[in-house]
Amino acid sequence: MTSAPVHAKGLEGVIADESAICNVEQTALIYRGYEIADLAAHASFEEVAFLLLIGHKPNASELKAFKDELIAERELPEMIKQNLKHAGELVNNKYAVPMDILRTAVSVLGHLDPDCQDNSAEANLRKAKRLLAKIPTVIGHMQNSIEGREFVAPRSDLSHSANLLYMMTGSEPSPEAEKVMDVSLVLYAEHDYNASTFTSRVIASTLGDMHGAVTGAVAALKGKLHGGANEAAMDMLSDIRNDIGPDNDAAKITGWMHKAFAEKRKLMGFGHRVYKNGDHRAPILHALGRKAAEARGEEFVKLFELGEAVQKIMADEKTIYPNVDFPCGMTYFTMGIPVPQYTPIFVASRITGWCAHIMEQHANNRIIRPRVAYIGPALRNWND
Ligand SMILES: CC(C)(COP(=O)(O)OP(=O)(O)OC[C@H]1O[C@@H](n2cnc3c(N)ncnc32)[C@H](O)[C@@H]1OP(=O)(O)O)[C@@H](O)C(=O)NCCC(=O)NCCS
């Protein structure tokens, strides 16, 4: 009797290829040689996007040209705008969630991109910039449609982060809100072979095109075990609040957590396949979000205090720590962003990592085609 070959469930620990883009270690997260805390403190999202897509830190003139190119690409083709007019109807009647609308928009953007079928390095970079520039406009217009408002056109005098918030609301964000959004985008931009990036590389490895690979990546990011965790984490905190009432009563919080443990529930925004001692991005975003909450008032501080109590119980009793999605949920809530847009905003950032990986795959390709250990029926005859 032969036993099935050894396999790695969930591909845990498997090194699938080499990459020069990002290094995820227990002790550090590094984008092209720069550590994440360094980038969060000193680099803008546009600088990080340039670093990831083009491969080096931009000088002043490179950065200006890059920003100008992005600004010039912010408008959407008319066909996409017409489609997005129906976003409110689809979302408000629960036929779709914003991640579905964004996935379809990315796919249709491919039909309208003159470089769609061209996988050359030059065409891929042009497409990556267009996607990076247009995704915030998709999110903004979609939110306008959900709220029954006219589309808010992109502005050419605002940063990527400020323009995203402006288009979603019609109001120019404060410099503080712009900064928090910008840092969250820096933190979300890249994370080596996570599920959505791996998806994009599998598609690219067949010589599929960038829009197809990104469409698949958006679908992968939607899941609660991956990018969807930022929405799920906030939903979980709202559930706890509903169950325990307005005060952060320690006994009630502990009771809620023990019930969740007894039911073997996965707590959203906690745990990570690689980071077993904590996610380096989480404390950076937590500190910024908490500061924003203190500026906004008691309700928001109490939300962070609830989150901190949950974190402490998870750490003390399970030695499981928050990932970046946990503080993200609380932070975006404090900023007044509607919960179903948290994961689309993640896309507005991770598009940089995905496109960098798709370009790296196309530049040095071998089709990704692993094997599986067969455990089905033994050989048998159809006529027996
Ligand atoms: C991120 C995640 C998918 C990683 O999955 P993974 O590497 O397969 O980790 P495992 O599921 O093997 O977890 C190892 C152990 O920790 C537990 N665990 C991991 N994350 C947990 C969580 N969020 N809540 C409760 N227990 C958790 C598992 O139940 C498992 O316990 P066991 O050994 O007693 O069965 C997982 O931690 C998770 O589902 N987290 C919640 C979703 C989330 O926040 N995703 C965003 C990731 S950035």
Side-chain angles (χ1 to χ4, degrees), residues 12 224-227 229 261 265-274 276 279 281 314 318 320 323-325:
E12 181 170 6
K224 275 201 273 201
L225 298 188
H226 188 15
F261 293 157
R265 280 177 61 178
K266 279 262 168 91
L267 297 203
M268 292 295 131
F270 285 89
H272 198 271
R273 172 58 63 78
V274 181
K276 295 303 176 198
D279 177 335
R281 303 163 297 177
M314 280 296 271
K318 297 278 173 190
I320 297 176
N323 55 59
V324 68
D325 294 314

Side-chain angles (χ1 to χ4, degrees), residues 48-366:
V48 168
F50 185 102
L51 173 72
L52 291 171
L53 291 174
I54 289 143
H56 64 267
K57 176 181 169 180
N59 64 31
S61 65
E62 286 172 326
L63 182 62
K64 178 166 185 329
F66 183 67
K67 283 185 182 173
D68 287 348
E69 279 183 274
L70 295 184
I71 287 167
E73 288 288 353
R74 282 180 178 167
E75 279 285 352
L76 297 178
E78 194 51 38
M79 189 190 286
I80 307 266
K81 285 193 194 178
Q82 290 304 326
N83 286 348
L84 287 173
K85 290 210 168 121
H86 300 286
E89 195 184 321
L90 290 168
V91 171
N92 295 331
N93 288 313
K94 302 201 183 310
Y95 293 119
V97 296
M99 277 298 274
D100 305 330
I101 305 280
L102 179 54
R103 185 196 66 224
T104 302
V106 165
S107 187
V108 179
L109 277 170
H111 308 330
L112 303 170
D113 192 304
D115 288 314
C116 185
Q117 313 303 338
D118 185 347
N119 287 343
S120 67
E122 299 74 21
N124 272 347
L125 183 57
R126 286 194 296 273
K127 288 187 279 191
K129 288 178 193 165
R130 290 186 197 119
L131 280 165
L132 173 58
K134 291 185 195 313
I135 283 172
T137 316
V138 172
I139 297 170
H141 287 8
M142 178 195 336
Q143 187 56 32
N144 300 154
S145 172
I146 291 168
E147 292 182 33
R149 271 201 311 268
E150 291 295 308
F151 291 163
V152 177
R155 283 217 342 227
S156 56
D157 58 335
L158 296 177
S159 70
H160 195 78
S161 306
N163 183 54
L164 167 63
L165 289 169
Y166 166 72
M167 287 189 294
M168 289 181 78
T169 60
S171 310
E172 204 178 310
S174 66
E176 292 77 20
E178 176 184 2
K179 178 70 185 163
V180 177
M181 176 52 65
D182 206 69
V183 173
S184 77
L185 298 186
V186 168
L187 298 175
Y188 265 145
E190 165 55 10
H191 219 211
D192 84 16
Y193 262 39
N194 59 84
S196 58
T197 303
F198 188 60
T199 302
S200 76
R201 285 195 78 134
V202 170
I203 296 171
S205 84
T206 69
L207 300 183
D209 65 87
M210 180 174 273
H211 284 83
V214 171
T215 304
V218 175
L221 193 78
K222 177 189 173 188
K224 275 201 273 201
L225 298 188
H226 188 15
N230 58 8
E231 297 177 18
M234 190 56 225
D235 289 340
M236 184 185 79
L237 286 170
S238 298
D239 285 348
I240 301 178
R241 173 63 74 226
N242 282 339
D243 287 354
I244 69 165
D247 296 319
N248 289 334
D249 183 291
K252 285 185 183 165
I253 299 171
T254 306
W256 194 99
M257 295 289 286
H258 284 172
K259 185 162 177 281
F261 293 157
E263 289 166 358
K264 301 214 174 304
R265 280 177 61 178
K266 279 262 168 91
L267 297 203
M268 292 295 131
F270 285 89
H272 198 271
R273 172 58 63 78
V274 181
Y275 302 131
K276 295 303 176 198
N277 305 315
D279 177 335
H280 314 293
R281 303 163 297 177
I284 300 172
L285 195 53
H286 189 104
L288 274 174
R290 201 182 207 292
K291 207 167 143 215
E294 282 157 15
R296 266 210 90 181
E298 200 194 337
E299 179 199 341
F300 300 95
V301 174
K302 279 171 87 176
L303 172 66
F304 269 81
E305 286 170 352
L306 174 61
E308 286 156 9
V310 168
Q311 280 177 210
K312 184 160 180 354
I313 296 168
M314 280 296 271
D316 290 349
E317 300 191 24
K318 297 278 173 190
T319 49
I320 297 176
Y321 301 96
N323 55 59
V324 68
D325 294 314
F326 193 67
C328 175
M330 297 186 283
T331 302
Y332 286 176
F333 185 83
T334 299
M335 294 171 77
I337 297 168
V339 176
Q341 293 291 10
Y342 296 1
T343 319
I345 292 174
F346 191 160
V347 173
S349 165
R350 184 59 61 84
I351 183 68
T352 53
W354 290 336
C355 290
H357 278 275
I358 293 162
M359 290 190 281
E360 190 175 62
Q361 186 70 39
H362 279 163
N364 183 12
N365 191 52
R366 188 167 189 216

